[in-house]
Amino acid sequence: MTGAEIANALFVAAIVVYAAAMFAYAVEYAFDRRAPKRAEALVTAGGGDVPEEAPADPPISPAAARGAGRIGLVLTFLGTAALAASIVIRVIHTGRWPWGNMFEYTVGVALAGMVTWLVIVSRGSVPRRLGLFATFAVTMVLGTSVRVYTEAGPLVPALDSYWIIIHVSAAIAAAGILLIGCVFALLHLLKRRYDRQVSDGKPIRFPLNVAERLPDATALERLTFKIHVFAFPLLTFGIIAGSVWAHLAWGRYWAWDPKEVWAFIAWVVYAAYLHARVSGRSAKAWAPWIAILGYAVMLFNLTAVNLVFGGLHSYAGV
């Protein structure tokens, strides 16, 4: 097998392993709860003592569910190692930095997102079972990247610069971290809505009942904020580095290229999120929605701007 074929095989293996990890996390998420206690009270019916019917045992015990979660975490590490190895082998095969096209960029975002999740769960910031949502998001990103797959090859001349290491690596790291931040923002909103429904005594239906096993809404919101606080300087640095590279390559720092414009719009949205988060109570309540909007803008910049709009960045191909 050639280096490119090995890299592709490891890429596919990472997707399969992440999917298996997602299933294992789902088992833990669904069944990792204390087994219902047998009813000990007796009720009197028809003049005699009749034991109250005990709830049925779950199909998977809580201990087995926690074991599935541990397997999910191991699989997540293995999938991340396979994905990283795929990128490294692609680098060795091509002899250049691996961010030369949309496919490679997307794979880098997935790797950064998964590393972010592993750091968070290893620090004990969130329950392990939330890996269900992190692996789902990353698996979707990797699955989407297949549609823009590009054979491993040399960089186009315009990208053959050490600035690709600085600018694109910062952008990829920021996008991967913000992906996990977006996941937690969504979970926070789901839990917040669930708590409100319970408080009002309203029925809980799918998908809202998924939030029953989520951590406290306040904890999710604080983690969302911390993730964005960490990622925002990286995003800022990536945009500034891109401007410096543009000056060196094209003789100007800003050319109102669609990619530049939408990157700046995403930066403004995230700045608005951070401002809303530290403002009054009403603004803070809207902050998670702004964070989600920020990632929607980033996805638009990655997909529509790359595939539909022309511009100075169109030479990168897909």
Side-chain angles (χ1 to χ4, degrees), residues 301-315:
N301 195 18
L302 175 62
T303 56
V305 173
N306 273 7
L307 301 175
V308 179
F309 300 147
L312 296 171
H313 290 79
S314 61
Y315 50 70

Side-chain angles (χ1 to χ4, degrees), residues 37-162:
K37 296 181 179 180
R38 296 283 182 178
E40 299 177 354
L42 298 178
V43 295
T44 302
D49 291 339
V50 179
E52 186 180 87
E53 184 179 354
D57 291 331
I60 299 177
S61 69
R66 289 189 290 274
R70 287 191 289 270
I71 293 174
L73 185 59
V74 171
L75 290 173
T76 305
F77 275 104
L78 291 176
T80 304
L83 192 61
S86 172
I87 295 174
V88 170
I89 292 175
R90 194 176 177 97
V91 170
I92 296 173
H93 176 72
T94 58
R96 46 90 173 171
W97 203 251
W99 316 136
N101 51 65
M102 184 175 171
F103 169 75
E104 294 174 347
Y105 180 93
T106 307
V107 173
V109 170
L111 178 63
M114 207 71 266
V115 170
T116 301
W117 159 252
L118 288 173
V119 170
I120 291 173
V121 74
S122 297
R123 290 172 58 89
S125 301
V126 294
R128 181 181 55 217
R129 62 180 179 270
L130 296 193
L132 166 63
F133 305 101
T135 50
F136 173 77
V138 170
T139 303
M140 290 296 294
V141 170
L142 290 174
T144 303
S145 71
V146 175
R147 298 187 60 85
V148 292
Y149 171 76
T150 305
E151 291 288 346
L155 286 173
V156 295
L159 292 178
D160 192 8
S161 168
Y162 64 88

Side-chain angles (χ1 to χ4, degrees), residues 115-220:
V115 170
T116 301
W117 159 252
L118 288 173
V119 170
I120 291 173
V121 74
S122 297
R123 290 172 58 89
S125 301
V126 294
R128 181 181 55 217
R129 62 180 179 270
L130 296 193
L132 166 63
F133 305 101
T135 50
F136 173 77
V138 170
T139 303
M140 290 296 294
V141 170
L142 290 174
T144 303
S145 71
V146 175
R147 298 187 60 85
V148 292
Y149 171 76
T150 305
E151 291 288 346
L155 286 173
V156 295
L159 292 178
D160 192 8
S161 168
Y162 64 88
W163 278 98
I164 194 173
I165 303 175
I166 302 171
H167 165 56
V168 183
S169 295
I172 285 175
I177 296 170
L178 290 171
L179 170 65
I180 302 302
C182 181
V183 169
F184 280 109
L186 288 167
L187 294 180
H188 162 68
L189 290 174
L190 188 64
K191 181 65 172 179
R192 193 171 74 181
R193 179 64 177 172
Y194 172 85
D195 290 344
R196 187 176 300 129
Q197 290 283 91
V198 171
S199 177
D200 294 342
K202 296 180 180 179
I204 308 297
R205 299 185 178 89
F206 182 82
L208 202 57
N209 57 358
V210 174
E212 178 187 0
R213 299 288 294 145
L214 289 176
D216 179 70
T218 302
L220 289 171

